[in-house]
Amino acid sequence: MTIKKNYIAGEWVEGVSTTRNVNPADTSDIIAEYATADAEQTKAAVDAARAAYPAWSQVGIQQRSELLDRIGQAILDRKQELGELLAREEGKSLPEAIGEVGRAGQIFKYFSGEVLQMRGELQPSVRPGLDASVTREPLGVIGMITPWNFPIAIPAWKIAPALAYGNCVVFKPAELVPGSAHALAEIIVEAGVPSGVFNLVMGPGRVVGDVIVNNTQVDGISFTGSVATGRNIAAAAVGRMAKVQLEMGGKNPLVVLDDADLNTAVECAINGAFFSTGQRCTASSRLIVTEGIHDRFVEAMVDRLKTLKVGNPLDAATHIGPVVDERQLQQNLDYVEIAKEEGAKLIFGGEQLQLETEGFFQQPALFVDTTSDMRINREEVFGPVATVIKARDYEHALELANDTEFGLSAGIVTQSLKNATHFKRHSQAGMVMVNVPTAGVDYHVPFGGRKGSSYGAREQGSYAREFYTTVKTAYTLA
Ligand code: ADP
């Protein structure tokens, strides 16, 4: 089997060992072997990015825009093939995987245009005879550490703005999904990125990630992953005064009010809680339902859950693919047990499934009779496990929705303009959804949360420039 290499200082280089990329729907299917970098190679990638930075930061926006456009187009042209690779290595259904690849392409296209929109400010100084101008410059070398759940879209929404605004990149994908990252790197290289401007270093967080976080030549770190790792990265980055941006977990609520359209409520809940196997930081794992609709909603959810097919992501009949790996599956199963022990009532699924192929399949789980203080309602599971919490009325539902240390996304299903408006204003989340699932966002508007979910500047859209650029104020004697 050929070994897929890292890309450092303009060369494809072998690692010190290799990592096997295994299909979670069929563990006999090995996608490829990927080179694992060590600390020294990661340092070489950082040095290459640093050396390339002076020239790249001065390259005109036309050239940068064209590079991003070529990358975006190449991704879109290979949507089907890259979608299949993504579904095979991560396990989301093929339509979701192709959709994610399309999103990655759109993001590069967006920043290809966005870089041409760069503008500064010129204003009179408070001191007569002077002008003051405010412009943006690239930050420098950016380290990117990404998770496995969106193997191409999350790297895209970090790499595209970084390159657009004139930064150099050291990119470390999650160990479980090197395939999409490697394919993206190939596209970026084929599109003509100058040597050293973009580097791919695959390998473990505690080795490769650690060098990126602690190397003083890295000016900024953009991280998406778990709360525990995010906290450590932030502490290390702040310790050496590097800029840092974190996107972490969620325990996102979907509020369903008595006046909701039942079908809309069920579809929002099914999509938000269980699509992509519940492995989205914006997944709605807490369904907060008012008393008047509670029983009808629960009954309709169970009926709808019975229609979902768990299976191989490449099979057209599959709605829900496998859990990403054995460790995550065990964590999901453990949480099902924890919830039962806490007194939550399991009314659907939750069990591991044995299908034709050896994989990490789990029937989606729905709990009722849960309360906000249970661990199942406080800790992120990151799997196809959702709970129903009964609320007395809208005010109680809002209070429950905000009763969490997280604050990424929050949804409400209602026909009341008054309650929807109130919820938009008072929900303590970075993103609020009215009559749409908590997961599923646009790429041209900011993405990010509050409280324990996010830290630092927002990602995506024009707001991405907050992280990827630094502001300069200049005074000129006129
Ligand atoms: P998950 O549970 O989704 O794997 P992690 O936070 O463990 O979440 O992983 C997200 C990313 O952070 C991965 O690319 C992983 O390799 C990386 N990572 C893990 N530990 C560290 C660390 N100590 N330093 C830097 N990066 C790390």
Side-chain angles (χ1 to χ4, degrees), residues 199-249:
N199 301 272
L200 170 72
V201 270
M202 300 176 283
R206 59 179 194 287
V207 180
V208 174
D210 193 69
V211 171
I212 292 173
V213 171
N214 292 301
N215 191 307
T216 54
Q217 297 302 307
V218 176
D219 303 290
I221 300 142
S222 183
F223 167 84
T224 303
S226 66
V227 175
T229 307
R231 283 213 178 108
N232 290 336
I233 288 178
V238 171
R240 64 175 185 84
M241 285 185 268
K243 200 168 178 181
V244 63
Q245 169 184 67
L246 311 173
E247 288 300 340
M248 299 167 291

Side-chain angles (χ1 to χ4, degrees), residues 75 119 255 304 309 341 378 432 462 465 475:
I75 296 170
R119 51 177 68 89
V255 169
R304 183 71 171 86
K309 184 173 182 299
E341 280 161 25
R378 306 217 73 81
V432 183
S462 61
R465 72 173 58 145
Y475 299 92

Side-chain angles (χ1 to χ4, degrees), residues 208-357:
V208 174
D210 193 69
V211 171
I212 292 173
V213 171
N214 292 301
N215 191 307
T216 54
Q217 297 302 307
V218 176
D219 303 290
I221 300 142
S222 183
F223 167 84
T224 303
S226 66
V227 175
T229 307
R231 283 213 178 108
N232 290 336
I233 288 178
V238 171
R240 64 175 185 84
M241 285 185 268
K243 200 168 178 181
V244 63
Q245 169 184 67
L246 311 173
E247 288 300 340
M248 299 167 291
K251 196 71 200 170
N252 309 292
L254 177 74
V255 169
V256 176
L257 297 185
D258 285 356
D259 65 11
D261 173 72
L262 186 62
N263 192 46
T264 304
V266 169
E267 290 313 310
C268 286
I270 292 285
N271 176 323
F274 304 119
F275 284 8
S276 297
T277 323
Q279 298 174 150
R280 296 186 286 190
C281 42
T282 48
S284 20
S285 47
R286 295 184 299 140
L287 308 171
I288 299 169
V289 185
T290 48
E291 282 171 355
I293 196 170
H294 178 275
D295 293 357
R296 278 184 295 139
F297 173 79
V298 168
E299 196 183 323
M301 281 293 287
V302 172
D303 287 346
R304 183 71 171 86
L305 277 164
K306 286 179 187 156
T307 69
L308 295 182
K309 184 173 182 299
V310 177
N312 190 314
L314 300 178
D315 180 347
T318 293
H319 300 107
I320 296 177
V323 173
V324 75
D325 72 349
E326 196 166 8
R327 194 180 63 112
Q328 183 65 50
L329 174 62
Q330 193 53 53
Q331 180 170 314
N332 299 349
L333 296 170
D334 288 348
Y335 268 109
V336 168
E337 288 312 310
I338 290 167
K340 283 191 207 160
E341 280 161 25
E342 287 179 306
K345 187 172 161 207
L346 182 64
I347 52 156
F348 189 87
E351 72 278 15
Q352 183 174 356
L353 296 173
Q354 303 295 342
L355 304 181
E356 316 82 71
T357 52

Side-chain angles (χ1 to χ4, degrees), residues 395-452:
E395 283 72 25
H396 187 211
L398 173 66
E399 189 186 311
L400 290 166
N402 287 334
D403 180 24
T404 170
E405 67 180 82
F406 297 106
L408 188 57
S409 180
I412 188 165
V413 185
T414 179
Q415 297 189 50
S416 156
L417 180 63
K418 180 168 172 277
N419 287 337
T421 306
H422 191 273
F423 189 77
K424 277 194 277 187
R425 207 165 288 158
H426 296 279
S427 171
Q428 293 161 6
M431 298 178 290
V432 183
M433 313 291 187
V434 178
N435 293 327
V436 280
T438 55
V441 297
D442 288 355
Y443 56 87
H444 65 307
V445 287
F447 178 96
R450 296 184 186 178
K451 294 157 81 177

Side-chain angles (χ1 to χ4, degrees), residues 137-151:
E137 295 183 0
L139 186 61
V141 173
I142 316 270
M144 290 161 191
I145 299 175
T146 58
W148 47 259
N149 65 332
F150 286 92

